[in-house]
Amino acid sequence: MTMNNQTDAADVDEQPQEWPNPRGGFLFFLGFAAIGAGMAQLVPAVLTLSLKANLLDPKNATTILSVVVAVGAVFGLIAAPTFGRLSDRITWRTGRRRPLLILGAVLMAIGAPVSYAAPTTFLLTIAGTLTMLGVVAVTVACTAILADQYAPERRGPASALIGISLPVGAVIGLFLAQLVSSSLLAQFLIPAAIGVVSALLLAVRLPDRVIGRDEVPVFTVRDFFGTFWVNPVKNPSFGWAWWSRLLIFLASPPCRPTRRSTSSSVSASRPPRCREPCSFRPWC
């Protein structure tokens, strides 16, 4: 019993602090920004980047898509703790989290149109990386805002909204992209525009706290690399949450058929078309 109490206490911030616990629709803006970032991230990853890769080089589209997504993911992995550490140390009058939201909006606004217009794989990779960095900036800001604004006992709804932002953003974004399936430009711009607008709305609505230079925490190289490791024994709640999310994400790819296999199976199941169009066969 004593051991359980000690390990549970390790997950709780015992430092006294007062939280604003904002009302007046702030939770809507926070959730909207998180969902908008998820939309701006997953719609390109699932749909528009693959369409663009097919336009660049149909024979090597899979390789192009893999390179673009992998490079963006690596930069995103490095940027997430970097943005978080830097955000904790911003002493501007704008606050600590607002600059991240604005930066994310700018990067997404640049990445989407450049992705559409990119004539080469190299430029498409740069554009995809800019979009990913913008998404990471907004996501890091939303996560930090959750801890900044809400007391621990009131973080449930906000944490749930941020947690479901990726799947909800993907579903809504893909639905909107389907509505404008005739225009690849619109498929790129609409999800990004929603991500940009939602991030800026949160930046305007955010009651961000300004810190002085004497409040800036010390930052070392060891602290940076320590961001990638949290002891699951000392922090069991974090460990269970991390492993459960990892297993869910590892289980999801085999359940999703690829675009190529899906299209080929559908094509194989359809009867051949007639030489002349006819009205009594729906596949003609």
Side-chain angles (χ1 to χ4, degrees):
M1 184 67 179
T2 304
M3 180 64 68
N4 291 337
N5 291 337
Q6 291 176 350
T7 55
D8 291 342
D11 288 347
V12 180
D13 186 4
E14 297 180 353
Q15 297 180 355
Q17 182 177 349
E18 294 184 0
W19 288 271
N21 294 320
R23 299 180 182 273
F26 179 80
L27 187 59
F28 166 80
F29 291 102
L30 179 60
F32 186 29
I35 292 173
M39 189 183 307
Q41 175 185 356
L42 289 184
V43 172
V46 174
L47 178 64
T48 51
L49 285 178
S50 62
L51 296 177
K52 180 63 179 181
N54 277 308
L55 292 177
L56 290 178
D57 188 351
K59 294 183 179 180
N60 299 307
T62 303
T63 302
I64 295 174
L65 179 62
S66 300
V67 171
V68 174
V69 173
V71 172
V74 170
F75 274 89
L77 179 65
I78 299 173
T82 303
F83 285 160
R85 293 288 189 176
L86 292 177
S87 177
D88 291 338
R89 290 158 178 79
I90 293 177
T91 58
W92 303 343
R93 290 184 298 175
T94 56
R96 295 183 296 171
R97 317 306 179 189
R98 188 174 289 110
L100 271 187
L101 293 171
I102 297 175
L103 174 64
V106 171
L107 292 176
M108 288 187 290
I110 296 174
V114 175
S115 295
Y116 168 78
T120 63
T121 302
F122 177 74
L123 190 56
L124 181 62
T125 303
I126 293 177
T129 301
L130 289 177
T131 301
M132 174 60 72
L133 292 177
V135 169
V136 169
V138 175
T139 304
V140 169
C142 290
T143 306
I145 289 169
L146 169 65
D148 290 343
Q149 300 295 324
Y150 292 98
E153 65 274 9
R154 300 191 59 182
R155 293 175 186 170
S159 179
L161 276 177
I162 296 175
I164 65 173
S165 60
L166 282 178
V168 172
V171 170
I172 297 176
L174 291 174
F175 173 76
L176 295 176
Q178 186 180 14
L179 296 179
V180 292
S181 58
S182 59
S183 172
L184 182 59
L185 177 60
Q187 289 181 318
F188 267 110
L189 293 186
I190 290 178
I194 294 175
V196 170
V197 171
S198 62
L200 293 179
L201 287 176
L202 179 60
V204 172
R205 181 64 178 79
L206 176 64
D208 208 357
R209 187 174 75 91
V210 179
I211 64 172
R213 295 186 180 275
D214 56 331
E215 299 180 76
V216 176
V218 179
F219 181 63
T220 63
V221 176
R222 181 178 181 181
D223 293 332
F224 173 78
F225 287 104
T227 307
F228 296 93
W229 167 252
V230 176
N231 192 325
V233 177
K234 295 181 178 179
N235 305 274
S237 298
F238 179 88
W240 282 110
W242 190 91
W243 277 106
S244 62
R245 288 175 63 85
L246 175 66
L247 294 175
I248 290 173
F249 276 97
L250 289 177
S252 59
C255 300
R256 296 198 304 265
T258 61
R259 181 182 302 276
R260 183 181 299 273
S261 64
T262 303
S263 59
S264 61
S265 62
V266 171
S267 301
S269 63
R270 290 178 175 175
R273 292 178 178 271
C274 302
R275 293 184 178 179
E276 297 294 334
C278 55
S279 59
F280 58 89
R281 291 190 177 97
W283 56 83
C284 292

